[in-house]
Amino acid sequence: MFLNLHLVVLFPFLLAVLTLVFGRRLGRHLGWALVPFPLACALYLLSLVPRVASGESFSATWNWVPSLGLSFSLHLDGFSLLFALLISGIGALVTLFSIHYLDPDEDFGRFYLYILLFMGAMFGVVLSDNLLALYMFWEITSISSFLLIGFWHEEADSRAGALKSMLVTMAGGLSLLAGIVLMGIAGGSFSIRELADKGALVQGHPYYTAIVVLVLLGAFTKSAQAPFHLWLPGAMAAPTPVSAYLHSATMVKAGIFLTAKMAMILGGTGLWFGLVAGVGMVTMLLGSYLAVQQRDLKGLLAFSTVSQLGFMMAMFGYGTPEAQSAGVFHLLNHALFKGSLFLLVGIIDHQTGTREIDKLSGLRRAMPFTFAMMALSALSMAGVPLLNGFVSKEMILAALLEPPFGHNLFTVALPLLGVAGSVFTTFYSLILAHRLFFGPVTETTPEKPREGSWGLLFSPALLTLLVVVLGIAPGLVEHGIVGSAVSALRGEPVAVHLALWHGFNLPLLMSLSAILLGLILYLWQEPVLAGLRRVSSVRWNVNALYDGLLQFLEVGSDRVTRRMMTGYLRDYLVLILGFTALITGYALARSGIFGFDWRRLALTEISWTEFAVIVAMVVGAITAVVARQRIAVALGVATSGFMVAVLWVLWHAPDLALTQTIVETVSVVPLFLVFAYLPRLRQQPFRPKVEGINVFVSVLLGAVVTGFLLLSYGHQLFPSIGQFFVDNSLPLGGGRNVVNVILVDFRALDTMGEITVLTLVGLAVAALVRSRREPADIDEKKEMSGVMINPLILPAFSRLLFYLILIYTIYIFFRGHHNPGGGFIAGVMAASALIIWALAYERPAAMALVPVEPRRLMGSGLLLVASLGLGAVLFGYPFLTQGFTEIELPWFGRVELATALLFDLGVWLVVIGSIKGIVMELSDGRPIAHETGASHGREESGRS
Amino acid sequence: MEVLAAIAVGIVVACSAYLMLTREIIRVILGSLLMGYGINLALFMAGGIKTGGPPVLTGDEVGAVTDPVPQALILTAIVIGLGVFALLLALGYRTYQETDTDDLEELVG
């Protein structure tokens, strides 16, 4: 088979990509290139009709994310087939129509791109058997609908309509997702077919009510059921072919589709019947009542669609075989006559330049074909005999009289709502069929009316032909289309009978009286409309509610943002630190810090050395806080840092001790370089409230950290993973220094991420400092002399020191796998050698010692690490797998010849590159006017 | 020992937080450096102090060693801390150059 189900769903997306590439060049001819695809789909699907009618169904499954229960499994049964036929058939006609409808200079590429996205997604919705996949396609239809409504995004109406439709349908979509997840929990599957077999399980589950409400919210928003109908009229800002395709024939029926399908799982209960039938019939009346009052033709059609959707929705709430047959058949009929009506209104708009009902009359002579088709389609909608709408409407009225759970006040009211709605339906159908075409010939249209071209007339003509054919011979689709759809919904073969004539009965009486009453209202239309509009002008209004809600959200979020985003760094930090402390503190309090048994702590002995070091560390920190000179602040922090390094020694962490010591030394240099450019600290006015909050937050945070640490000694939630690394470091990593093996082997990917960060920091510093440096500055090194102190003894000494450090660095680097050391430490150490040189001599002399630009060093380091990782992949191992073997080298002894060593070399390159870059950039700046009064004599303008 | 160390770390963190809440850029930057020390210590201590020798395997026997995982984490944290410290310094320097102030309350955007 040339086509298959997955291809039907995926091909539109593929075409969309091609459209994106070639669309612009083809212009309007793009449409001709695309028409064959939906046409081929339609023919393929038609060829399946006999097989589906004989009870066959088609399935295909691709596993996607099996662990989440997500598979891309498609299933074609009679009901999906009907929808797929509508999507492809009407899709082809609409594509054809739009070639002639859109202006030649319109952006056809974008238009067809969205249409194709929609087509593929809609196929996905109706063919997916997996509910999660269905949800994904469901949301893509919402997005493509949003894009199509906003196609003319220069217009404010289009934007507002697009936004409204997206907010409403996406909110419903989220609700649907929640419902699907609950259903998956209750039924243990996400497959519609499997769930259909477990209907009793789901219906007996405590979540049942929630599932029904959530799923129906999704369906109701999509199908524009009251009170969510508000988005559909706004969607009329879309180009008319889009309205015909998405907003009458296919997408808005997705909600009906979902309800019908879900009825297999969730239906048959009083809750289901009450909600679906009740909402459907209320929507039916409300929609037709609002439709007659519209002054815009598309507005009229929009509300008419709302009303007809309510009709169909109600049928799937009833769920009897008769109701389902009526619903399925009306679904098909509505797609035909409403699709035709939309396209015809499009033609009128295209040919006269207006859609306002009051400006149009007497078009009969100028547009005879349009008139004939419009009259047939509209009368079919009104339910006039010999047209297809009559047959299905009769069936609906008959089904309404046979509720599934016996009669009560509610079930008696529903048919009455249906008749009342039908009266208005007749009314607005006559507006379409009669009012536009009879009466005085219009003079007020922007363009002189004339008949549309054949290209425009073809698509509605085909649809109207079907309206008439199915009206006279409904038996054509009785078995193959409607019958197999209903059988699919009921899970058993159902014989459906579609007939033109059922004899004189109550439904016929209801039908005829609706037509008669509608006709009377139409004849009295002036006073009737005036009266209706007066009632509606004071109406309770869902639109007002929507606008209010939207405004509330906008104003509210604006207010919150303004309150939180003050622009003061301190405010942010107070929030961040304060909340961290509060939340952690709350968790600590809950886990019993206050009832903590201090005596249970297995305490380690404290030595005098440790005590002295800890006290010195605390003194350093406190000094940093109280000091009023920045050098004292820096020294306080540095004291703390060195004491931490000593603690690492005392606490058996040699690698940390080495790293911290060198880092401390190195970081002093950029600090003092920057000191040269920054002003001294000033005496700040004392502000009790601000200080109070600062002290409170700080102390709270400190207390929480202390509490957390104390509590952590008494608890061990999980066994430590450390032992794994200790046990496997030698056998798996070939190294004796466990910390180093973790860094370069076990967790090499993390390390790779970290050196990437380091590279970025190096680049960012360079970019920051260079961002305003004028080229002239670089030559003016004389100004630097005041910054750098070059006593005589340092240069003499530093030459020796430099080479010593460098040699030691190599040693540290190579021993790192077995002893404390490694790439990080060696890198920082080598950089410190450079810095000493830079302090002793001029910066350029020092930098010339390593004649490679920092970014090249960092880049080659990263490249080395990445290619090592990929190399492992080439040999069939996971990314960054390391290999090793040992060899004897003179002087160094046994040396690990491991790829880990190369990895460490990459680390080394990145570290030295970034530090060199940072120091080079910071020391290359131009000292700004020194700290003499002038630059700081500005007024205090801070908050007080 | 643990109690004393925990309290000391708490004080260091409190001091660093206070520094970060002040108005001068340089104090804020130094405060963040100090906070790095405090948090590294806290991370280390959560894994236990002196539960064994250094995590360097000397003989073929695997004796009790201190947990190497926090050490590996902290080692990279220290080096990255240096990078971040330098970045903040560069930022502070550029900010002062552009705005002529080191007072964060005058820098409200």
Side-chain angles (χ1 to χ4, degrees):
Chain A
M1 184 47 79
F2 172 65
L3 282 161
N4 69 34
L5 290 182
H6 280 104
L7 205 60
V8 166
V9 176
L10 294 178
F11 206 65
F13 292 112
L14 194 70
L15 276 180
V17 175
L18 292 180
T19 305
L20 207 59
V21 180
F22 301 106
R24 255 168 228 287
R25 251 170 277 169
L26 285 170
R28 66 182 303 174
H29 303 296
L30 185 61
W32 292 112
L34 293 177
V35 166
F37 167 70
L39 202 61
C41 276
L43 292 176
Y44 164 67
L45 292 164
L46 269 178
S47 75
L48 295 179
V49 167
R51 294 168 67 185
V52 170
S54 65
E56 220 177 315
S57 64
F58 302 85
S59 297
T61 300
W62 289 355
N63 273 328
W64 190 356
V65 191
S67 57
L68 288 179
L70 183 57
S71 65
F72 187 20
S73 62
L74 301 179
H75 180 70
L76 181 91
D77 58 19
F79 193 55
S80 320
L81 180 64
L82 168 65
F83 265 91
L85 273 172
L86 287 179
I87 297 162
S88 52
I90 298 195
L93 292 179
V94 161
T95 309
L96 199 63
F97 182 84
S98 56
I99 299 171
H100 303 276
Y101 180 79
L102 293 177
D103 285 339
D105 54 353
E106 206 75 74
D107 188 351
F108 281 86
R110 197 159 56 89
F111 181 78
Y112 287 118
L113 170 70
Y114 299 160
I115 290 272
L116 285 167
L117 274 184
F118 169 75
M119 202 183 279
M122 196 66 206
F123 276 131
V125 169
V126 300
L127 292 176
S128 288
D129 181 55
N130 186 292
L131 279 169
L132 293 174
L134 182 147
Y135 167 75
M136 190 194 75
F137 288 118
W138 179 278
E139 292 292 40
I140 301 179
T141 64
S142 288
I143 293 168
S144 51
S145 161
F146 166 79
L147 292 169
L148 282 166
I149 297 170
F151 182 69
W152 287 314
H153 52 78
E154 302 84 6
E155 322 257 334
D157 278 357
S158 296
R159 295 196 300 269
L163 186 65
K164 195 191 265 185
S165 82
M166 185 155 87
L167 287 179
V168 174
T169 50
M170 290 259 169
L174 284 179
S175 154
L176 171 64
L177 179 63
I180 288 174
V181 171
L182 287 186
M183 198 161 19
I185 294 171
S189 168
F190 286 113
S191 156
I192 297 177
R193 278 178 299 160
E194 283 175 26
L195 282 169
D197 294 336
K198 295 179 181 167
L201 186 68
V202 179
Q203 296 194 4
H205 200 275
Y207 288 163
Y208 175 67
T209 311
I211 295 173
V212 168
V213 171
L214 289 170
V215 168
L216 285 182
L217 270 176
F220 288 169
T221 47
K222 198 79 166 176
S223 284
Q225 299 296 292
F228 307 112
H229 63 276
L230 74 159
W231 71 266
L232 194 54
M236 292 300 125
T240 301
V242 171
S243 311
Y245 190 31
L246 274 71
H247 304 126
S248 88
T250 55
M251 188 186 86
V252 287
K253 292 200 173 98
I256 311 271
F257 173 84
L258 187 76
T259 312
K261 279 264 176 179
M262 290 300 107
M264 296 159 68
I265 307 166
L266 306 169
T269 63
L271 176 72
W272 183 265
F273 168 67
L275 267 177
V276 180
V279 168
M281 290 315 292
V282 168
T283 307
M284 195 272 160
L285 177 60
L286 184 72
S288 59
Y289 163 79
L290 290 170
V292 294
Q293 303 171 35
Q294 300 303 310
R295 294 190 164 90
D296 172 28
L297 275 176
K298 278 183 82 175
L300 186 154
L301 288 181
F303 279 110
S304 138
T305 306
V306 168
S307 150
Q308 299 285 323
L309 288 170
F311 232 0
M312 292 171 240
M313 190 61 95
M315 285 300 101
F316 295 105
Y318 272 69
T320 57
E322 293 76 25
Q324 284 173 323
S325 312
V328 168
F329 192 34
H330 198 62
L331 202 137
L332 171 64
N333 290 336
H334 178 258
L336 298 176
F337 65 66
K338 192 56 67 64
S340 152
L341 285 174
F342 263 110
L343 295 180
L344 291 167
V345 163
I347 294 178
I348 292 179
D349 189 14
H350 193 258
Q351 301 300 109
T352 66
T354 183
R355 299 193 310 238
E356 274 186 57
I357 294 169
D358 292 337
K359 285 189 183 164
L360 295 164
S361 66
L363 295 175
R364 179 170 37 113
R365 281 180 215 291
M367 308 176 78
F369 294 106
T370 306
F371 162 61
M373 294 190 278
M374 183 82 107
L376 287 169
S377 300
L379 292 177
S380 169
M381 179 158 67
V384 169
L386 291 179
L387 297 166
N388 64 354
F390 167 74
V391 186
S392 50
K393 201 164 186 177
E394 285 295 279
M395 291 166 71
I396 290 179
L397 290 173
L400 282 175
L401 294 171
E402 303 283 339
F405 301 108
H407 287 281
N408 56 33
L409 203 61
F410 178 64
T411 59
V412 172
L414 294 181
L416 290 178
L417 289 177
V419 174
S422 299
V423 173
F424 288 116
T425 306
T426 311
F427 190 166
Y428 65 70
S429 298
L430 286 171
I431 294 179
L432 292 172
H434 184 267
R435 181 168 164 175
L436 302 177
F437 295 96
F438 288 86
V441 174
T442 178
E443 303 283 345
T444 49
T445 53
E447 283 162 44
K448 193 169 154 45
R450 53 193 179 81
E451 188 56 276
S453 66
W454 287 109
L456 286 175
L457 290 172
F458 177 78
S459 296
L462 201 64
L463 292 171
T464 313
L465 185 69
L466 285 171
V467 164
V468 178
V469 169
L470 290 187
I472 297 167
L476 283 176
V477 293
E478 183 178 75
H479 182 58
I481 308 274
V482 180
S484 43
V486 177
S487 304
L489 287 178
R490 299 203 67 80
E492 59 193 9
V494 178
V496 174
H497 186 56
L498 305 178
L500 202 51
W501 183 248
H502 290 273
F504 287 103
N505 52 15
L506 191 53
L508 185 68
L509 191 68
M510 288 158 74
S511 223
L512 289 181
S513 54
I515 292 178
L516 201 66
L517 278 171
L519 192 63
I520 293 171
L521 284 186
Y522 178 70
L523 293 176
W524 286 60
Q525 56 175 295
E526 297 298 329
V528 170
L529 279 181
L532 286 179
R533 282 178 180 148
R534 204 173 306 128
V535 175
S536 302
S537 63
V538 289
R539 72 192 146 172
W540 43 277
N541 196 328
V542 230
N543 265 313
L545 193 70
Y546 167 85
D547 291 339
L549 189 66
L550 207 60
Q551 202 184 0
F552 168 77
L553 287 176
E554 278 174 6
V555 171
S557 53
D558 184 56
R559 224 172 259 164
V560 171
T561 312
R562 271 171 207 279
R563 194 152 172 74
M564 307 282 289
M565 301 287 112
T566 54
Y568 290 100
L569 180 66
R570 179 187 157 266
D571 292 356
Y572 302 145
L573 284 174
V574 164
L575 282 180
I576 294 170
L577 299 179
F579 271 99
T580 311
L582 283 177
I583 293 169
T584 323
Y586 173 73
L588 286 180
R590 275 184 51 131
S591 41
I593 182 76
F594 297 117
F596 188 60
D597 185 5
W598 300 90
R599 283 161 301 179
R600 269 195 21 234
L601 277 178
L603 294 182
T604 338
E605 289 278 316
I606 183 161
S607 69
W608 282 104
T609 340
E610 283 169 324
F611 182 75
V613 168
I614 288 176
V615 168
M617 177 181 79
V618 171
V619 169
I622 295 175
T623 312
V625 170
V626 295
R628 287 311 313 162
Q629 278 179 308
R630 49 193 198 151
I631 189 95
V633 179
L635 284 177
V637 172
T639 308
S640 270
F642 278 114
M643 290 307 122
V644 171
V646 178
L647 276 182
W648 296 143
V649 176
L650 296 175
W651 288 350
H652 305 312
D655 284 278
L656 297 188
L658 272 173
T659 317
Q660 179 107 35
T661 316
I662 307 164
V663 161
E664 274 309 309
T665 317
V666 169
S667 65
V668 168
V669 178
L671 181 64
F672 282 89
L673 284 171
V674 168
F675 264 15
Y677 309 121
L678 282 178
R680 292 198 172 107
L681 300 181
R682 291 175 308 280
Q683 198 61 47
Q684 303 285 4
F686 182 71
R687 291 172 299 178
K689 202 176 148 202
V690 176
E691 286 295 310
I693 294 175
N694 288 1
V695 169
F696 175 74
V697 169
S698 315
V699 171
L700 189 68
L701 191 68
V704 164
V705 170
T706 301
F708 162 76
L709 283 175
L710 288 178
L711 201 62
S712 73
Y713 293 129
H715 284 68
Q716 187 160 25
L717 294 176
F718 307 102
S720 166
I721 54 168
Q723 197 56 43
F724 168 83
F725 295 114
V726 174
D727 291 340
N728 290 302
S729 169
L730 200 53
L732 291 183
R736 293 176 179 280
N737 180 359
V738 185
V739 174
N740 183 266
V741 174
I742 292 178
L743 286 176
V744 298
D745 195 332
F746 288 121
R747 307 296 306 158
L749 189 65
D750 294 355
T751 308
M752 193 176 153
E754 276 143 16
I755 58 175
T756 312
V757 171
L758 214 53
T759 307
L760 288 177
V761 167
L763 293 176
V765 170
L768 269 172
V769 176
R770 284 186 193 179
S771 60
R772 215 192 69 177
R773 184 184 304 153
E774 289 90 32
D777 289 358
I778 296 169
D779 300 330
E780 299 175 36
K781 289 199 202 72
K782 291 209 173 78
E783 292 193 47
M784 301 278 292
S785 56
V787 187
M788 297 276 188
I789 313 144
N790 296 1
L792 261 173
I793 197 154
L794 191 58
F797 188 56
S798 66
R799 183 178 295 267
L800 182 67
L801 207 57
F802 176 75
Y803 291 113
L804 268 179
I805 293 179
L806 221 53
I807 290 168
Y808 188 65
T809 297
I810 297 169
Y811 171 67
I812 284 278
F813 176 80
F814 277 103
R815 75 195 289 263
H817 214 47
H818 290 308
N819 296 296
F824 272 115
I825 299 168
V828 184
M829 213 177 250
S832 73
L834 267 184
I835 289 169
I836 288 176
W837 195 278
L839 285 178
Y841 299 98
E842 291 289 306
R843 182 196 62 81
M847 293 309 154
L849 285 173
V850 181
V852 188
E853 272 189 69
R855 59 193 168 93
R856 288 190 200 283
L857 284 174
M858 296 187 284
S860 49
L862 276 184
L863 203 64
L864 181 61
V865 167
S867 48
L868 269 178
L870 289 175
V873 176
L874 277 188
F875 285 101
Y877 297 103
F879 189 66
L880 279 174
T881 308
Q882 313 281 17
F884 61 89
T885 170
E886 286 191 4
I887 53 161
E888 285 290 332
L889 269 190
W891 299 347
F892 288 101
R894 279 202 315 171
V895 163
E896 196 66 35
L897 197 68
T899 51
L901 200 67
L902 287 174
F903 185 91
D904 229 8
L905 183 66
V907 173
W908 183 83
L909 282 169
V910 170
V911 171
I912 191 172
S914 63
I915 296 180
K916 182 192 169 192
I918 289 165
V919 172
M920 188 172 122
E921 294 299 337
L922 284 177
S923 64
D924 201 23
R926 176 182 180 176
I928 31 187
H930 231 282
E931 308 177 21
T932 44
S935 59
H936 312 295
R938 59 188 184 277
E939 301 92 302
E940 277 295 324
S941 59
R943 293 187 304 177
S944 51
Chain B
M1 173 78 206
E2 277 84 354
V3 179
L4 179 77
I7 294 171
V9 169
I11 296 174
V12 170
V13 170
C15 289
S16 67
Y18 180 84
L19 279 176
M20 287 173 77
L21 294 173
T22 52
R23 296 170 60 168
E24 294 95 344
I25 289 179
I26 194 74
R27 287 176 95 189
V28 174
I29 297 174
L30 286 168
S32 71
L33 187 65
L34 189 60
M35 183 166 281
Y37 299 156
I39 299 300
N40 282 346
L41 274 178
L43 188 60
F44 187 90
M45 289 167 63
I49 305 171
K50 293 199 283 191
T51 50
V56 177
L57 314 171
T58 41
D60 288 333
E61 306 271 307
V62 177
V65 295
T66 44
D67 196 338
V69 178
Q71 297 198 20
L73 291 174
I74 295 169
L75 201 149
T76 49
I78 294 173
V79 179
I80 294 235
L82 171 66
V84 171
F85 177 59
L87 181 69
L88 288 177
L89 281 175
L91 259 176
Y93 155 67
R94 283 289 296 146
T95 310
Y96 181 69
Q97 224 182 24
E98 289 287 329
T99 61
D100 211 27
T101 177
D102 73 327
D103 186 342
L104 288 163
E105 298 203 0
E106 290 175 18
L107 286 173
V108 174

